[in-house]
Amino acid sequence: MRGRHLLNPLLLSPLSYPRPPFARLDARGASRRAVAEPPAGTRRVPLSESDVGISRFASALPGFRGALKQRYSDFVVHEVALDGSLVRLTSFDLPDDECVDVKEGDVDEAQALESFRLLCGDADCEALMGFLERVSEGGDSDVSPIILSADADKAHRSEVHDFFKRNFGYLITDTIEHRDGIQRCIRVRLKPGPRERRDAGGRGRNRKGTGNLGWRDDMAFDSRRSTTWPHHLGKFLRFHLYKENKDTQEALGKIGNMLGLQPRSFGFAGTKDKRAVTTQQVTLFKMQASRLVNLNRKLVGIKVGDFSYVKEGLVLGQLMGNRFTITLRSVVVESEDVIKAAVDGLIKNGFINYYGLQRFGSGSVPTHLVGAALLKGEWRNAVRMILDPREGECDNINKVRECYREHGDVCMALQNFPRYLITERAILQRLKKYPGNYLQAIMAIPRTLRLMYVHSYQSYLWNHAASMRVEKYGISRVVEGDLVYKKKSPFEEGAVKIVDSEDLLKSQYTFEDVVVPLPGSETLFPGNEVAGIYHKMAEKDGINLSESVHGVNSKPAGISLLQA
């Protein structure tokens, strides 16, 4: 069962914080998000804390106001890994057990294309340039292979194969023959990744653009990346992702486009704020570190490093937490004594461990509403909420959204939606392929993001339960029916227990031990009145926490999580 401590004591490190970190506190003393002025041309209408269940606080001190995230560099986030280590970007070196061809890092694509023009001619070079452009754009549909001009010279074909191995390691070439049994050509395609599929006979699919030209496309796609992985290396590459002013999906989308991978190929423990400087761990299956390190000279506002090979990939929730370094600007306060009192109160009392506003999105359609629609199986409604115009977004983007809502023209929308809107474009690509099939459209969203929508709804219920617990029983004591982690086996399977009268007599648990569960179909709920708020809020939204409405299998640790 997944639980979250109700109270979060504030831990300050003198090495990281020479002065106490200040946060906007309201009259009840809760840490609260200050709102920076929105950029020109936007209409920001943020959620309020009460909208997402935040209504009770740890103290009643007077507070002050300040501007949070006035600059993206004012908000620095370091992920805390499960072993307690702080995730930082410290090295671009390759792992000790991986060798790299130094020449690979020195390849200049423009120079390589010019060499290819001399080797194969203008027509083939133009075809390759178009192919590389489609690879960089990404998208849900497969990138079609290209077939170079017919070439009867075997020695020349070998030279072309060697050229691609030296200059474009993420591409594969092979020789195919025409149905006339005479002509031979070189086919160029992406290396297969997790997205490649085979038919029942193990053969590669007939790709569009090749089947109608007379060329045989019935040879199995290359699978060397899967079969010759060094036995002494872990099958997952783990690296640290550093990004500035970009959300996690956007950053991984850019890296994926350069590697020819879909966003779903990446594993990570959680998404990080967009308007921030963040560092987190990411994993990829059977990927060489040398391929990623060479991207650093091309990426803007994104860096990757601290490479290692591990046995398991990351999934959502596999982190101890996040560490924030926050700068507040334009502070408005009656006196410095108010600031000192507020910070002292925060250090003494800690704060209620609510899920903050960023968990519920910055648009006019909160992510927990999308999550609720998914849990009810309302696929069309979920798609509509993701694609519809939203307040707080630039006018030109909203015009594109409005145009799609009025006309429903998927092809036109794909032309107009910018490529950084990965979720929207993935949905549209799938609707183009399967018109009217909104479940297919939802499944086109990267799995980690689908789960984030559902986790957002879980967080919404958790906040309401936490507020109800504080309102009903206060924050000074443990009461009968509270959930706590057992003292001898914290964080292990079945380690959560319901406090009984005997536990209260022994006084072995304090309020800091109290946890509030994330709701799901097999969740252990508190044995007091707090349990009722989960079911009351969910039933109001048309959701039954004990069963999966849409028929997709659920997992014990949470609400039905759309695992497909």
Side-chain angles (χ1 to χ4, degrees):
M1 190 200 80
R2 297 173 61 196
R4 180 178 173 94
H5 280 98
L6 182 57
L7 185 73
N8 195 337
L10 187 65
L11 303 177
L12 300 181
S13 166
L15 295 178
S16 300
Y17 302 108
R19 293 179 298 176
F22 298 148
R24 175 186 168 195
L25 304 176
D26 76 352
R28 293 156 295 185
S31 174
R32 190 178 254 193
R33 188 177 195 143
V35 180
E37 288 299 317
T42 65
R43 304 178 303 281
R44 186 169 295 281
V45 183
L47 285 169
S48 69
E49 290 175 334
S50 60
D51 291 334
V52 295
I54 302 173
S55 61
R56 295 294 180 269
F57 302 92
S59 62
L61 293 168
F64 60 91
R65 293 180 178 272
L68 178 62
K69 295 188 177 182
Q70 194 171 75
R71 306 170 186 170
Y72 70 80
S73 56
D74 289 344
F75 203 80
V76 181
V77 184
H78 291 280
E79 190 171 85
V80 182
L82 284 177
D83 62 2
S85 63
L86 210 60
V87 178
R88 299 181 182 274
L89 185 63
T90 61
S91 171
F92 297 114
D93 296 337
L94 295 174
D96 293 336
D97 46 7
E98 179 178 343
C99 297
V100 62
D101 183 356
V102 178
K103 293 181 180 179
E104 182 181 351
D106 297 331
V107 171
D108 180 86
E109 188 171 289
Q111 182 178 349
L113 286 170
E114 189 57 35
S115 299
F116 183 74
R117 187 184 301 274
L118 296 174
L119 180 65
C120 294
D122 291 342
D124 285 345
C125 184
E126 293 299 320
L128 178 59
M129 290 172 63
F131 178 75
L132 294 176
E133 183 177 349
R134 292 192 296 276
V135 168
S136 67
E137 291 174 353
D140 177 73
S141 59
D142 296 327
V143 179
S144 302
I146 58 170
I147 297 178
L148 304 181
S149 303
D151 189 351
D153 187 340
K154 184 176 181 179
H156 184 262
R157 293 199 304 270
S158 297
E159 190 175 350
V160 174
H161 289 307
D162 290 339
F163 169 86
F164 279 94
K165 290 178 182 178
R166 291 193 310 270
N167 295 280
F168 298 98
Y170 57 92
L171 301 180
I172 293 177
T173 58
D174 53 7
T175 300
I176 59 176
E177 69 176 27
H178 198 274
R179 289 195 178 95
D180 61 13
I182 300 174
Q183 299 182 74
R184 285 176 172 77
C185 257
I186 289 178
R187 177 178 56 178
V188 183
R189 49 192 167 80
L190 276 172
K191 273 189 176 181
R195 66 187 289 192
E196 296 291 354
R197 301 182 179 91
R198 298 175 183 279
D199 63 21
R203 298 173 299 177
R205 291 180 297 174
N206 187 23
R207 301 302 176 98
K208 57 184 179 182
T210 59
N212 60 352
L213 299 177
W215 296 100
R216 295 181 59 191
D217 193 33
D218 54 359
M219 291 182 292
F221 272 19
D222 191 293
S223 60
R224 288 171 292 175
R225 180 167 165 233
S226 298
T227 58
T228 63
W229 187 256
H231 68 277
H232 65 286
L233 294 181
K235 292 186 177 182
F236 289 86
L237 172 67
R238 184 175 64 197
F239 61 94
H240 292 182
L241 169 68
Y242 170 93
K243 61 182 182 64
E244 298 178 352
N245 206 27
K246 292 177 175 60
D247 63 37
T248 302
Q249 291 291 344
E250 179 185 357
L252 294 180
K254 290 182 181 296
I255 295 172
N257 285 341
M258 293 181 175
L259 296 174
L261 299 175
Q262 287 291 304
R264 64 174 68 97
S265 304
F266 297 91
F268 52 88
T271 57
K272 300 294 180 273
D273 298 69
K274 176 178 181 179
R275 191 167 177 78
V277 177
T278 74
T279 312
Q280 67 185 109
Q281 290 185 332
V282 181
T283 56
L284 268 174
F285 182 68
K286 289 188 178 180
M287 175 63 63
Q288 292 182 336
S290 56
R291 291 188 63 193
L292 267 77
V293 75
N294 292 328
L295 302 181
N296 280 321
R297 60 193 177 89
K298 301 178 182 179
L299 293 166
V300 178
I302 304 170
K303 296 295 178 186
V304 293
D306 294 274
F307 303 103
S308 62
Y309 292 100
V310 295
K311 294 181 179 180
E312 301 290 339
L314 285 170
V315 297
L316 285 175
Q318 287 187 331
L319 76 167
M320 186 172 289
N322 296 287
R323 184 170 182 174
F324 301 90
T325 305
I326 301 170
T327 301
L328 289 185
R329 301 182 186 275
S330 306
V331 173
V332 178
V333 65
E334 293 181 1
S335 70
E336 291 188 7
D337 291 339
V338 175
I339 297 178
K340 185 178 185 306
V343 174
D344 288 345
L346 191 61
I347 294 173
K348 178 183 177 180
N349 300 318
F351 55 90
I352 306 303
N353 201 19
Y354 291 116
Y355 290 96
L357 296 178
Q358 72 275 7
R359 171 58 66 103
F360 305 97
S362 57
S364 58
V365 179
T367 52
H368 71 280
L369 296 183
V370 179
L374 295 180
L375 291 170
K376 291 185 286 186
E378 296 177 355
W379 317 122
R380 183 170 186 169
N381 188 32
V383 168
R384 178 189 59 78
M385 286 191 283
I386 294 171
L387 295 180
D388 270 1
R390 54 187 63 180
E391 294 192 30
E393 200 166 38
C394 296
D395 290 338
N396 59 336
I397 302 299
N398 267 332
K399 289 179 181 177
V400 174
R401 294 182 183 275
E402 187 66 43
C403 181
Y404 175 73
R405 184 169 68 175
E406 290 182 7
H407 304 288
D409 190 327
V410 173
C411 293
M412 180 184 296
L414 280 170
Q415 292 176 6
N416 295 329
F417 268 85
R419 300 198 175 277
Y420 67 81
L421 295 177
I422 296 172
T423 303
E424 287 85 345
R425 291 186 59 83
I427 288 173
L428 291 167
Q429 289 277 7
R430 192 60 63 87
L431 286 176
K432 180 181 178 181
K433 190 173 184 179
Y434 302 101
N437 192 329
Y438 294 98
L439 174 57
Q440 280 288 343
I442 288 296
M443 301 310 287
I445 303 173
R447 176 180 173 274
T448 50
L449 187 54
R450 295 201 306 271
L451 295 185
M452 286 303 296
Y453 287 128
V454 178
H455 289 173
S456 177
Y457 186 74
Q458 288 179 294
S459 304
Y460 169 77
L461 295 182
W462 191 98
N463 282 354
H464 279 280
S467 289
M468 194 265 191
R469 168 59 177 81
V470 175
E471 177 184 16
K472 185 74 176 177
Y473 303 113
I475 62 170
S476 61
R477 62 192 177 95
V478 179
V479 300
E480 190 170 348
D482 276 339
L483 293 182
V484 294
Y485 280 117
K486 296 177 183 177
K487 289 290 187 180
K488 294 183 179 180
S489 56
F491 309 115
E492 294 179 3
E493 189 72 25
V496 174
K497 65 162 294 182
I498 297 177
V499 173
D500 55 29
S501 57
E502 185 177 345
D503 294 321
L504 295 178
L505 288 174
K506 293 179 180 178
S507 300
Q508 61 177 344
Y509 295 105
T510 68
F511 183 71
E512 290 186 6
D513 297 315
V514 175
V515 296
V516 176
L518 285 169
S521 58
E522 299 183 20
T523 295
L524 174 65
F525 289 103
N528 50 38
E529 294 182 44
V530 175
I533 192 67
Y534 290 98
H535 298 284
K536 178 180 178 181
M537 298 297 299
E539 288 171 5
K540 186 173 70 173
D541 295 325
I543 294 172
N544 188 331
L545 295 181
S546 62
E547 58 186 50
S548 172
V549 178
H550 47 64
V552 181
N553 290 335
S554 61
K555 297 192 72 174
I559 295 176
S560 307
L561 295 181
L562 298 173
Q563 294 290 326

